Amino acid sequence: MREAERAEAEGAEVEREPREAGRAAGGYVPEGISDAFAEGARGVREPAAGGGRPPSGGPSLPSLGWVGALRWIWRQLTSMRVALMLLMLLAVAAVPGSVLPQRNQDQAKVLEYLADNPTAGEWLDRFGFFDVYSSAWFSAIYLLLFVSLVGCILPRSAAHWRALRGRPPRVPSRFGRFPATGTVTSSATPDEVVAAVADHLRGRPWLPTFRVDVAAEQATDTRPAAATVSAERGYLRESGNLVFHLALVGLLVSVATGQLLHYRGQAIVTEGRGFANAVVDYDTFEKGAWFQASSLSPFSMTLDAFESDFASDTVAFGQARDFTAYVTVTEPAGDSHAETVKVNHPLVVDGAKIYLQGNGFAPDITVTDADGEVAFSGRVPFLPEDTMYTSRGVVKVPDVSAGLEQIGLVGYFLPTAVFEEDGTVRSGFPQPTDPLLVLEVYRGDLGLDEGVPQNVYRLDTASLTTSVDETGERVRLLVRPGETVELPDGLGTVSLGAEIPRYVALDLRHDPSLAYVLVFALLALGGLTVSLFTPRRRVWVRATVSDGGSTVVRVAGLARGDDAGLQPEVDRVLAAVPGTHQEG
Amino acid sequence: MQIAELSVLLVWAAATALAIALVAFATDLARLSGTRSEARAVARAAREAVAVGAGPTSAGAAYGPGTSDAGPTPVRRRAAGIGMSTTWLGALLLLAAIVLRGIAAGRTPWANMYEFTLVGTFVALAVFLGVNLRRDARFLGAFVAGLGTLFLVLGVNVFYIEAMGVQPALQKYWLVIHVGVAISATGIFTVSFVASALQLLRDGRDSGSPYLASWRWLDSLPTPTALEAQSFRLNAVGFVLWTFTIIGGAIWAEDAWGRYWGWDPKEVWSFVIWVVYAAYLHARTTRGWSGRPAAWFVVVGYACVLFNFTGVNLIFNGKHSYSGL
Ligand code: HEM
């Protein structure tokens, strides 16, 4: 409260200064901003413009019909107060997205939440709480904020453009109320003093500090003739501020463009196999509204080998230390070359980035049916569920021989099998030192013939028959590499290949806006730094001849915002005065 | 003795030094409050004179530089001196603990919550000591040392994990930059929070809040305006560093996770913090919001910083699950 009063007081004080102050300062100040530095300018201009609105005015209702109403709305929207409200709203609106599961991150969690909280969940869903960052309300807040920002910044930019070519504001008539002042007496003439001070303020030619005007005041009834200096530094402060705000707009636009043009595909590739960069070759594929298939560069890639490294010391036992995928990339032109993909080091091919997002084991499994026919043969990726790579997988065996049922095998692959006392098995280390496949067996209609897309990692066992042993326990098949084991109930056999191939989960992403996003982000950072740390100061000097014949030099300084360096700046000016005897 | 164990011992030593500093600084504040009550009466009279509207000692003078030191009364502040020396000692012990921790783990010592707590506390101490080299800010000491003790004790008791290497997603120079800058920003925000909280308390007492009537030590603090200026200078630096933390994090995420921004809980809260401090910077320059309301933004912002560090790591299950707990 007291601060606001101070701002008003200072504004009022500067108001009495010469009119030129307004033009030189650049003029435009957003509605509701409190800034003694710029407010002086406003105080000067507004009475001249014939009244205008009250400077601290709260919302005053329009009386000018709908054009007036629109203008009123626009003025409110671009005011500092509303910008502040929108910023606060934005902060609050971002929070639910960290508390509730989000579709774009974890679809399964959202479904789980909906199942657990049917009523609340439905309402939350209706209001977009599972897609917070693309919801109408979140978008509305940031779009309004950006409209406000543009409405606020464009006029300010124009004003700043004029101010950049303006001159420092003329010397105020009284120095008393400025936050930093000083006086010295000198034996030099006023003109000599002013020349020396101007020289000091201008700084070195290769590093100019202040923009300086030197002038002379004629004697009047109330005061003697004087030589004056008016100087201003720190125009870059406002430049930085504007660059920062405009860069935010650029950032928003480039992020949005990237959203429209990008694509992202996921593929699971096992050792020795490959894939082509085409929509059909991906397990999942997601794209922006303006994506065109032609932006997929037709290269292809083979996974030659995959290597992993895990800590084996007692403290960090089993913790991942390094993953490397060795691949061969074949360019559209036909030439191929060997590359590696590592976590943190995506491979860039034709502007698309390929990431190593996951890895695991894809054991080679062959199932023969009761008739001895091979019903299934292939590599089955098992998904790791813990740090020791206890991995879960499903084999869905179709009915190749007439009259037989379909078979489902569900179970775990353990790279290093460890048998517990109670008969359970677990994996003791992520590397395949003693691999074991543990399977349960189901039979019935797996729905393989309906042509309905299915999750390959899940088997709905509700309608299936489980194989049990004599005691009624579920049969648990243990298969080691190179072994063939009989399926229960005479269903046939299952065998595991001697080699356990690895697989990698690759993410391929292309976003043409990345460079722009980075440039605008860095521009924002640079602009912000300049605007926060460039001191913006005005210094005025008036040198007059006193009755005693010596020269009295008065100096005043004004800064934008808090500026601990203002008084030292004034002190340096005082020190630059030639021929001083004593300090006043 | 193992290097890692020595490091923990040094952390305890640092916490002890800070606890002593806390007591010393508190004694200093209590002493000052006796000598300052008179000065305060004088200051109040002066302020009222200004309100009546005369004289060159205008309100503006209180905003000028040089008012940030506590005032003209020459008091012997031996207790504050002891507080400063023990804080220096605590900071040096903590630095040694951090270095040893790095040696024990064989990498940069800020990759999990325990280490983040140590380094963040160290930065807060360093900022406090650094500010004191340029101007007298010893009145912050009791609170900085108090928070420092609290953080270190919590760190060792709650967040501690064994020193070890890190997983592939963390093996990049960005660990040094991104996390290092984030910790620095956190340390700076800690000190600016103390300044803003004191500003609010002092402001409340000055405007006659009945709850603060017995808190005479508040009178020995600088004016709310000087506290606000102090807090702003730190927040400006903290905000730039935080901006860089987010940009650096996005660049790293682009390489490590395959997208630069994905509204992961940690990202959400970093964004919230950024917006709150941006709102603070706007509030300072908005008519009717500068001063006390703006200081509340700092309090809220710092609460978000603490939550981002503790709550987000421990409650939410995001990609930033590197606490090791
Ligand atoms: C995305 C939303 C915005 C963000 C993140 C943002 C951020 C910032 C930051 C960090 C500053 C500090 C620079 C300084 O203090 O010198 C600043 C200053 C400023 N902002 Fe914004 N801003 C936003 C929107 C707006 C809007 C909508 C307006 C206009 C209504 C606005 C007007 C200003 C002005 C006038 C300043 C300079 C204050 C001064 O003169 O010291 N900003 N902004």
Side-chain angles (χ1 to χ4, degrees):
Chain A
M1 195 55 227
R2 285 184 35 234
E3 301 231 345
E5 283 164 20
R6 171 192 68 109
E8 305 288 33
E10 263 180 21
E13 193 270 328
V14 183
E15 194 174 319
R16 272 176 255 118
E17 308 309 341
R19 323 229 128 196
E20 281 80 357
R23 269 195 287 109
Y28 177 80
V29 179
E31 170 79 35
I33 197 173
S34 160
D35 180 352
F37 200 76
E39 215 141 273
R42 203 156 101 120
V44 177
R45 270 199 325 167
E46 285 209 341
R53 58 209 135 83
S56 61
S60 56
L61 280 174
S63 54
L64 289 171
W66 63 272
V67 178
L70 281 181
R71 286 177 70 177
W72 180 82
I73 290 174
W74 177 249
R75 219 158 54 204
Q76 291 304 314
L77 186 60
T78 57
S79 78
M80 277 301 265
R81 228 174 273 106
V82 170
L84 188 55
M85 303 291 172
L86 288 171
L87 275 172
M88 288 191 276
L89 259 182
L90 185 66
V92 172
V95 172
S98 71
V99 180
L100 295 168
Q102 297 293 298
R103 282 220 170 75
N104 60 354
Q105 281 163 5
D106 199 339
Q107 174 82 27
K109 275 238 191 74
V110 176
L111 293 177
E112 195 180 309
Y113 187 95
L114 284 173
D116 293 348
N117 311 278
T119 329
E122 195 195 320
W123 279 99
L124 287 174
D125 201 12
R126 205 165 286 172
F127 289 107
F129 276 89
F130 301 112
D131 307 277
V132 166
Y133 306 104
S134 50
S135 70
W137 43 275
F138 190 80
S139 316
I141 295 173
Y142 73 74
L143 289 178
L144 273 179
L145 186 60
F146 274 95
V147 171
S148 167
L149 187 152
V150 170
C152 173
I153 284 311
L154 285 187
R156 239 175 115 106
S157 304
H160 183 55
W161 181 248
R162 286 192 299 276
L164 277 180
R165 288 165 301 156
R167 302 305 310 173
R170 264 204 225 160
V171 185
S173 51
R174 296 180 316 137
F175 285 0
R177 289 208 174 180
F178 286 101
T181 53
T183 308
V184 282
T185 320
S186 162
S187 57
T189 68
D191 286 337
E192 284 165 0
V193 167
V194 159
V197 166
D199 220 39
H200 159 75
L201 285 172
R202 283 199 185 96
R204 274 147 275 184
W206 40 270
L207 192 69
T209 2
F210 277 88
R211 185 173 296 176
V212 183
D213 275 353
V214 174
E217 286 174 359
Q218 303 295 323
T220 66
D221 304 347
T222 50
R223 58 182 180 199
T228 63
V229 176
S230 53
E232 179 157 7
R233 72 178 290 183
Y235 295 87
L236 272 182
R237 186 187 176 95
E238 177 75 350
S239 313
N241 187 31
L242 297 173
V243 165
F244 167 75
H245 283 86
L246 292 172
L248 289 185
V249 179
L251 189 64
L252 181 74
V253 171
S254 38
V255 168
T257 313
Q259 282 295 309
L260 291 170
L261 292 175
H262 88 290
Y263 68 82
R264 175 195 284 281
Q266 270 118 18
I268 284 193
V269 186
T270 59
E271 281 175 307
R273 308 268 166 89
F275 82 105
N277 186 25
V279 176
V280 291
D281 250 28
Y282 288 104
D283 299 320
T284 62
F285 192 81
E286 176 222 327
K287 56 190 190 306
W290 293 352
F291 162 81
Q292 288 181 326
S294 57
S295 65
L296 284 175
S297 156
F299 65 86
S300 64
M301 202 170 110
T302 317
L303 177 67
D304 302 320
F306 175 77
E307 273 175 16
S308 56
D309 182 26
F310 296 87
S312 52
D313 55 301
T314 44
V315 175
F317 188 74
Q319 253 196 24
R321 285 290 171 261
D322 191 32
F323 298 125
T324 313
Y326 297 91
V327 299
T328 301
V329 175
T330 307
E331 301 274 0
D335 43 338
S336 56
H337 43 97
E339 301 280 358
T340 58
V341 194
K342 291 170 85 92
V343 179
N344 259 320
H345 301 276
L347 170 65
V348 183
V349 181
D350 279 344
K353 289 190 184 172
I354 300 165
Y355 297 88
L356 181 58
Q357 290 294 53
N359 63 81
F361 297 93
D364 232 328
I365 297 177
T366 307
V367 179
T368 54
D369 63 16
D371 294 350
E373 297 275 346
V374 173
F376 178 93
S377 179
R379 293 173 175 182
V380 183
F382 277 59
L383 301 183
E385 292 192 333
D386 62 21
T387 53
M388 296 300 172
Y389 280 61
T390 303
S391 311
R392 193 175 165 77
V394 170
V395 186
K396 297 180 182 179
V397 184
D399 44 333
V400 288
S401 310
L404 293 182
E405 282 180 301
Q406 296 175 349
I407 305 170
L409 304 174
V410 181
Y412 286 97
F413 175 79
L414 311 171
T416 301
V418 178
F419 285 86
E420 301 287 354
E421 305 267 298
D422 60 1
T424 57
V425 245
R426 61 180 183 86
S427 178
F429 196 67
Q431 298 286 31
T433 41
D434 185 13
L436 179 71
L437 201 53
V438 184
L439 296 172
E440 288 177 357
V441 184
Y442 298 86
R443 62 181 189 279
D445 183 3
L446 274 55
L448 295 178
D449 302 332
E450 274 107 72
V452 185
Q454 287 195 7
N455 186 333
V456 291
Y457 301 105
R458 243 166 226 225
L459 182 65
D460 183 5
T461 54
S463 61
L464 303 180
T465 314
T466 317
S467 294
V468 291
D469 61 17
E470 311 82 59
T471 61
E473 288 283 313
R474 286 185 185 183
V475 172
R476 204 177 61 169
L477 296 182
L478 303 182
V479 197
R480 290 178 196 279
E483 284 183 354
T484 299
V485 172
E486 293 277 333
L487 290 172
D489 307 323
L491 290 169
T493 63
V494 57
S495 43
L496 178 60
E499 293 292 319
I500 310 288
R502 304 254 188 167
Y503 74 83
V504 294
L506 296 177
D507 244 31
L508 188 136
R509 192 163 84 90
H510 178 64
D511 182 345
S513 73
L514 284 183
Y516 296 91
V517 173
L518 181 63
V519 165
F520 282 118
L522 293 180
L523 269 179
L525 180 66
L528 180 70
T529 311
V530 167
S531 93
L532 282 175
F533 302 123
T534 307
R536 177 105 198 243
R537 298 177 187 146
R538 291 179 187 157
V539 171
W540 293 285
V541 180
R542 177 176 284 119
T544 51
V545 178
S546 72
D547 299 338
S550 56
T551 301
V552 177
V553 185
R554 292 194 175 79
V555 183
L558 178 66
R560 158 165 274 172
D562 298 288
D563 190 345
L566 183 62
Q567 186 66 46
E569 182 88 80
V570 167
D571 293 344
R572 281 197 298 276
V573 172
L574 291 170
V577 174
T580 51
H581 318 294
Q582 70 188 95
E583 304 235 337
Chain B
M1 188 164 31
Q2 295 267 304
I3 295 179
E5 291 164 27
L6 186 57
S7 164
V8 176
L9 269 184
L10 284 171
V11 174
W12 278 117
T16 312
L18 291 180
I20 296 171
L22 164 63
V23 173
F25 280 126
T27 312
D28 174 55
L29 281 182
R31 287 247 181 87
L32 281 181
S33 71
T35 52
R36 285 308 153 83
S37 327
E38 273 171 56
R40 174 178 150 81
V42 176
R44 177 170 280 166
R47 207 166 30 242
E48 271 151 19
V50 170
V52 176
T57 49
S58 79
Y63 292 76
T67 45
S68 52
D69 53 312
T73 341
V75 195
R76 282 192 63 204
R77 295 176 60 183
R78 249 232 317 268
I82 296 175
M84 286 306 289
S85 336
T86 38
T87 308
W88 272 105
L89 178 66
L92 292 176
L93 288 170
L94 188 53
L95 181 62
I98 293 166
V99 171
L100 287 187
R101 172 83 183 181
I103 295 172
R107 55 169 169 73
T108 331
W110 49 75
N112 53 49
M113 279 184 84
Y114 171 65
E115 292 160 359
F116 197 106
T117 312
L118 298 192
V119 182
T121 308
F122 174 76
V123 173
L125 294 177
V127 168
F128 166 73
L129 294 170
V131 169
N132 268 290
L133 292 180
R134 298 189 50 199
R135 60 173 65 82
D136 182 2
R138 288 179 291 181
F139 60 91
L140 296 171
F143 308 93
V144 174
L147 283 177
T149 316
L150 179 70
F151 290 162
L152 292 185
V153 171
L154 274 181
V156 179
N157 283 328
V158 184
F159 302 147
Y160 184 78
I161 61 162
E162 300 277 344
M164 57 175 128
V166 290
Q167 48 187 297
L170 291 184
Q171 294 165 8
K172 190 139 188 174
Y173 53 87
W174 276 111
L175 176 67
V176 182
I177 307 171
H178 167 70
V179 187
V181 174
I183 301 177
S184 307
T186 306
I188 291 172
F189 283 145
T190 304
V191 181
S192 68
F193 158 74
V194 170
S196 284
L198 290 178
Q199 174 198 345
L200 286 169
L201 288 173
R202 168 85 206 252
D203 205 10
R205 181 167 160 88
D206 283 0
S207 48
S209 161
Y211 304 106
L212 300 171
S214 59
W215 291 27
R216 282 178 45 210
W217 59 271
L218 286 172
D219 297 339
S220 52
L221 299 179
T223 60
T225 318
L227 287 167
E228 134 74 20
Q230 181 63 60
S231 175
F232 167 70
R233 278 193 286 272
L234 291 171
N235 278 323
V237 179
F239 185 70
V240 168
L241 292 181
W242 196 254
T243 309
F244 182 78
T245 301
I246 294 181
I247 295 176
I251 297 175
W252 191 9
E254 173 69 20
D255 275 354
W257 299 334
R259 86 284 187 294
Y260 57 85
W261 195 262
W263 296 109
D264 170 82
K266 198 68 154 196
E267 292 168 342
V268 172
W269 280 91
S270 303
F271 173 78
V272 169
I273 290 165
W274 192 81
V275 173
V276 171
Y277 279 97
Y280 158 75
L281 292 176
H282 282 85
R284 288 186 74 250
T285 56
T286 304
R287 205 177 289 115
W289 284 84
S290 56
R292 212 192 308 194
W296 278 111
F297 282 90
V298 179
V299 173
V300 172
Y302 189 62
C304 292
V305 168
L306 287 186
F307 182 74
N308 193 27
F309 175 54
T310 54
V312 173
N313 286 11
L314 302 175
I315 303 172
F316 302 133
N317 186 12
K319 282 186 171 292
H320 266 92
S321 305
Y322 300 132
S323 68
L325 295 177

